[in-house]
Amino acid sequence: MEKANLFSNIPNALPEEIFENLLEHKHFKLERIVSCGQSTPPGDWYDQDKNEWIILLKGCAGLLFEDEPHLIEMHSGDYIHIPAHKKHRVEWTDEKQTTVWLALHYK
Amino acid sequence: MEKANLFSNIPNALPEEIFENLLEHKHFKLERIVSCGQSTPPGDWYDQDKNEWIILLKGCAGLLFEDEPHLIEMHSGDYIHIPAHKKHRVEWTDEKQTTVWLALHYK
């Protein structure tokens, strides 16, 4: 049996976010997301056709939901459930260190 | 939207491991496991009818697979995929701090 580490294999420079499938299944997808300062482009919203359970495990980030006034600040261990078509955006991610997320997408 | 934290709501004393469903779905179950010094009873093996993807996020532990001679030491961020009916046991978990796992069970 081989183990791997969620915080390994992260490049020093991250010009773009990295999306990497850890597990793909007919009914769900488990994904690692690595960010460093990236955010959703101004005016854009994620509008996903799948539900998403997401946990931030390193770094920090700010999430905004279209129908809510306040930003949700995510720190290590924070998780949130985003129903399909709940419009949201990543306002900011930590610029000083990598931010590592684990996301479970499912219908 | 409400966030929660994987490392919160852990009792000071843990006479037994805590198994807590974070997400239940027809095709999978996402579970938090909190241990503190517990291990699988001597001679016992887990023989699960579901596949399990498991990540250790706090503390440390030793996993043993029946058909492999060496213990796999798990530290923060380490994850492993355990196919259904792959017999395994938790030889030890950290006694000095809580060990927090996130497990995804699926068929």
Side-chain angles (χ1 to χ4, degrees), chain A residues 1 3 5 68 73 78, chain B residues 1 3 5 68 73 81:
Chain A
M1 297 291 290
K3 67 173 185 174
N5 192 285
E68 294 183 17
E73 230 179 83
D78 284 344
Chain B
M1 298 291 288
K3 68 174 184 175
N5 192 284
E68 295 183 17
E73 229 178 82
H81 186 261

Side-chain angles (χ1 to χ4, degrees), chain A:
Chain A
M1 297 291 290
E2 285 290 325
K3 67 173 185 174
N5 192 285
L6 196 75
F7 307 118
S8 297
N9 298 319
I10 296 176
N12 286 330
L14 274 177
E16 294 187 355
E17 285 184 305
I18 299 174
F19 298 86
E20 183 188 358
N21 287 350
L22 300 176
L23 208 58
E24 277 192 87
H25 185 274
K26 193 176 166 188
H27 298 290
F28 65 81
K29 182 175 80 173
L30 186 66
E31 180 182 56
R32 178 176 84 156
I33 305 166
V34 183
S35 325
C36 191
Q38 289 88 359
S39 58
T40 312
D44 281 9
W45 296 92
Y46 285 110
D47 183 3
Q48 303 170 150
D49 64 350
K50 290 187 179 171
N51 305 296
E52 180 176 4
W53 183 94
I54 188 163
I55 185 166
L56 187 151
L57 290 167
K58 186 171 171 286
C60 52
L63 287 185
L64 189 65
F65 291 87
E66 196 190 32
D67 54 359
E68 294 183 17
H70 302 297
L71 199 77
I72 297 180
E73 230 179 83
M74 302 284 286
H75 296 274
S76 178
D78 284 344
Y79 63 86
I80 197 162
H81 186 261
I82 306 174
H85 299 297
K86 177 87 176 173
K87 287 191 185 176
H88 62 285
R89 40 180 286 118
V90 180
E91 278 291 297
W92 55 269
T93 54
D94 201 334
E95 291 181 351
K96 293 182 183 153
Q97 61 172 320
T98 49
T99 290
V100 179
W101 315 77
L102 185 68
L104 180 65
H105 306 270
Y106 67 97
K107 276 213 174 179

Side-chain angles (χ1 to χ4, degrees), chain B residues 21-33:
Chain B
N21 287 351
L22 299 177
L23 207 58
E24 277 191 270
H25 185 274
K26 192 176 166 188
H27 298 290
F28 65 81
K29 182 175 80 173
L30 185 67
E31 180 182 57
R32 179 175 83 157
I33 304 167

Side-chain angles (χ1 to χ4, degrees), chain B:
Chain B
M1 298 291 288
E2 286 289 325
K3 68 174 184 175
N5 192 284
L6 196 74
F7 307 119
S8 298
N9 297 320
I10 295 176
N12 286 330
L14 274 177
E16 295 188 354
E17 283 184 305
I18 299 173
F19 298 86
E20 182 188 357
N21 287 351
L22 299 177
L23 207 58
E24 277 191 270
H25 185 274
K26 192 176 166 188
H27 298 290
F28 65 81
K29 182 175 80 173
L30 185 67
E31 180 182 57
R32 179 175 83 157
I33 304 167
V34 183
S35 325
C36 192
Q38 288 89 359
S39 59
T40 312
D44 280 9
W45 296 91
Y46 284 110
D47 183 3
Q48 302 170 150
D49 63 351
K50 290 188 179 171
N51 305 297
E52 180 175 5
W53 183 94
I54 188 161
I55 184 166
L56 186 150
L57 291 166
K58 185 171 172 288
C60 52
L63 286 185
L64 190 65
F65 291 88
E66 196 190 31
D67 53 1
E68 295 183 17
H70 302 295
L71 199 77
I72 297 180
E73 229 178 82
M74 302 284 286
H75 296 273
S76 179
D78 285 343
Y79 62 87
I80 198 162
H81 186 261
I82 306 173
H85 299 297
K86 177 88 177 170
K87 288 191 186 175
H88 61 285
R89 41 182 284 116
V90 180
E91 279 291 298
W92 55 269
T93 55
D94 201 335
E95 290 181 351
K96 293 180 185 156
Q97 60 173 319
T98 50
T99 289
V100 179
W101 315 77
L102 186 66
L104 181 64
H105 306 270
Y106 67 97
K107 278 214 170 176

